[in-house]
Amino acid sequence: MIAADGAPAWDRLLATLPSVRDQFRRSRAVHPFMHSPRLAFRTDVVPGRRWACLPSAVGVIDPLLSTGFPLTLLGILRLLEILEGTAEGAEREAALGAYARITQLELDATEQLVAALYA
């Protein structure tokens, strides 16, 4: 199936999933079918001078599972601890470096989880 075909792709998908087709039997599209081939993104730049990205700005693995919400809440907690627990300068820079590594590792783990779920 080629999702970029739009509404015909949706119809073909429903033809292969009778129980899902039944759920959508009375449904009507309120917007044209849209296909977004690539929503995932990732950046290597996490902190900078006097700023840091929240995890949801560092990367998106799969919006369907909403993994960005818990990752971002963890990121806010970590940044708050850094701001409250470190002095500006080398100590804070080291803590932000650790924050960047942890954020990237969590995105790696999320990517593996999502890949396993899709498999």
Side-chain angles (χ1 to χ4, degrees), residues 77-88:
L77 177 63
R78 288 188 184 112
L79 287 171
L80 183 60
E81 290 170 351
I82 290 169
L83 291 172
E84 290 183 339
T86 64
E88 281 196 53

Side-chain angles (χ1 to χ4, degrees), residues 1-2 5-13 33:
M1 174 177 43
I2 300 172
D5 288 347
W10 175 249
D11 294 336
R12 288 192 303 272
L13 176 66
F33 184 92

Side-chain angles (χ1 to χ4, degrees), residues 53-60 68 71-76 99 103 106-107:
C53 289
L54 292 176
S56 59
V58 175
V60 168
L71 293 177
T72 294
L73 290 173
L74 286 170
I76 290 169
Y99 166 79
T103 298
E106 287 175 344
L107 285 169

Side-chain angles (χ1 to χ4, degrees), residues 42 44 46-47 78 93-108:
R42 187 118 169 223
D44 292 331
V46 180
R78 288 188 184 112
E93 295 299 319
L96 287 171
Y99 166 79
R101 286 186 296 282
I102 290 168
T103 298
Q104 295 289 7
L105 288 171
E106 287 175 344
L107 285 169
D108 290 343

